[in-house]
Amino acid sequence: VQLQAFGGGLVQAGGSLRLSCVVSGRSFSINDMAWYRQAPGKQRELVAKVNSGGRTDYADSVKARFTISRDNAKNTVYLQMNTLKPEDTAVYYCNAVVYTTAIQRASYWGQGTLVTVSS
């Protein structure tokens, strides 16, 4: 199983970016999908997650600005980021809990994509 993230880049404060992450390889089903981020000198933190039923949860710092969604047919999770702030600057990682059989599951990480927000 591999996760590949796309969409990072440099944007001015107040701008928007959309991240995508595609899950490929052998998978029976995909459970939770999520985005995390890690800023320089800080620990990795959960940004948003969406379960297989579509329920979403967000970090307080991104509520009302970021939207997580998933396309199960494409094994893809998205993160729409609006009204970006310099403090959103970080490497963003996607994560997915994947069942490779009916009973075997594991957590997988993407390679990370850098988001830089200039003031």
Side-chain angles (χ1 to χ4, degrees), residues 44-106:
R44 191 174 298 189
E45 63 175 356
L46 176 66
V47 176
K49 64 180 180 180
V50 55
N51 69 11
S52 56
R55 176 176 176 173
T56 59
D57 288 295
Y58 296 91
D60 287 343
S61 60
V62 306
K63 282 181 180 178
R65 299 189 298 122
F66 291 10
T67 302
I68 190 170
S69 61
R70 61 190 287 171
D71 184 332
N72 293 326
K74 297 181 179 180
N75 290 346
T76 300
V77 61
Y78 304 97
L79 186 68
Q80 177 66 43
M81 305 184 293
N82 298 327
T83 319
L84 282 160
K85 303 176 181 180
E87 51 263 45
D88 294 318
T89 295
V91 177
Y92 284 71
Y93 298 90
C94 55
N95 173 269
V97 176
V98 179
Y99 281 83
T100 51
T101 69
I103 58 173
Q104 292 178 308
R105 69 176 189 178

Side-chain angles (χ1 to χ4, degrees), residues 6-38:
F6 305 90
L10 173 64
V11 64
Q12 288 188 334
S16 298
L17 280 176
R18 188 193 195 204
L19 306 182
S20 304
C21 177
V22 181
V23 179
S24 61
R26 185 182 72 175
S27 64
F28 184 76
S29 66
I30 302 173
N31 197 352
D32 290 358
M33 305 181 84
W35 288 95
Y36 288 75
R37 68 186 180 186
Q38 187 167 18

